[in-house]
Amino acid sequence: MMNRINWTELKPQIQQVGRLSLPAILTQITTIAMQYIDSAMVGALGANASAAIGLVSSTTWLLSGTIYAVSAGFSVQVAHQIGGNHDKKARDVVRHGIASALVVSAVLCLIGLLISHPLPGWLGGAQKIRRNATLYFMMFAIMLPFSQLNSLMSSFLQCSGDMVTPSILNAVMCVLDVIFNALLIPVFGVMGAGMGTMLACAVISLTGAWFCCVRNPRLRLRRKEKTVFDAKILKTAFKIGLPVAVQEIAMNSAMVAATMLIAPLGSIAIAANSFAVTAEGSATCQATASVPPRQRSSAEATAPEITSWRNATEISALPWAQS
């Protein structure tokens, strides 16, 4: 006879899953929504404008995956330290994380700016959409440091147990994206969509940094505290972030390859593929966010969206999180 379900024991587990996954679901929906916003508002300019964004979108995901890996590498350590009530060590990780992340994002920004002009040609885009694709990707490259800061601050806040603030900030970012796009797209066209997203991300990333480094009682940085460079923190971040980076690069490289195959088919094909991939992302993000850590892959289990000080014990059990 099958064991009966004990709803008394199951109820608190369901509540915990809901409490941890809902902010993650809202965050991922926000990310997908911003892609829809850019695509929808630029779509009014015609198929070529939508194709310009669609042509380089897979490359933006590739760079964003690296940013996500950096955030995972440090956020897991913050959750671990807070879980052990070592707030000073957690703040040390925050300082190392901010410095390292800004260096990495600055390098990615420079690489993005350098390849922004030849990239549409490498991907096989038609001559008529290359200029707009270059301008959009250039705006994305300039936005990378803000994207990195936003990802890092959201992760740190969630790891400290604050799951609400990052969700609210990301929702506000969507609203700001709509406002900035409405103002800039009629003037600058496709580039205006990139500028709108960049400005929205900049405002929210700096606001998130204020909440994390000034307002959060456990993570706010104290002027009197001295932090000494600790290579162990960087080494652990590398161990944790590398599997995430490999996964993201592998998945998004496949998207880039698919774009190169579709690009010769014309602007409409590129735009249609971009819309389809965005729709696919919105359909799968909720399920991914709600899966408990033990049931996800080892790399995904480090995801900052589902990590807080309450499950730091599980994090410390990960093989690459061992010191």
Side-chain angles (χ1 to χ4, degrees), residues 74-236:
F74 289 99
S75 61
V76 169
Q77 295 185 74
V78 169
H80 194 183
Q81 298 298 345
I82 290 180
N85 289 321
H86 304 306
D87 290 2
K88 169 62 169 60
K89 292 183 178 180
R91 291 190 290 272
D92 289 342
V93 175
V94 169
R95 290 187 177 92
H96 281 72
I98 293 175
S100 302
L102 291 180
V103 170
V104 172
S105 62
V107 172
L108 292 176
C109 174
L110 180 60
I111 293 174
L113 291 174
L114 291 175
I115 68 172
S116 61
H117 181 71
L119 179 63
W122 293 345
L123 296 174
Q127 192 67 40
K128 58 185 177 182
I129 66 173
R130 290 185 184 182
R131 181 177 181 276
N132 281 334
T134 293
L135 293 174
Y136 183 84
F137 189 79
M138 189 181 299
M139 292 299 103
F140 170 81
I142 296 173
M143 183 181 70
L144 281 172
F146 296 111
S147 297
Q148 177 71 87
L149 184 63
N150 183 53
S151 174
L152 201 64
M153 294 301 105
S154 295
S155 300
F156 287 162
L157 287 171
Q158 290 170 349
C159 290
S160 70
D162 184 359
M163 306 292 286
V164 177
T165 301
S167 299
I168 294 175
L169 289 177
N170 282 304
V172 173
M173 183 160 59
C174 259
V175 176
L176 291 177
D177 192 25
V178 172
I179 295 173
F180 288 139
N181 279 358
L183 295 174
L184 296 173
I185 289 178
V187 179
F188 298 101
V190 173
M191 185 176 71
M195 294 172 64
T197 303
M198 178 188 66
L199 290 173
C201 185
V203 171
I204 296 303
S205 65
L206 295 175
T207 304
W210 181 75
F211 272 104
C212 178
C213 301
V214 179
R215 289 290 303 275
N216 190 280
R218 308 192 73 169
L219 296 180
R220 65 184 183 87
L221 304 181
R222 279 78 166 173
R223 292 183 179 180
K224 296 181 180 180
E225 286 184 351
K226 294 183 179 179
T227 300
V228 180
F229 174 76
D230 189 350
K232 183 180 177 181
I233 294 176
L234 301 183
K235 182 179 179 181
T236 303

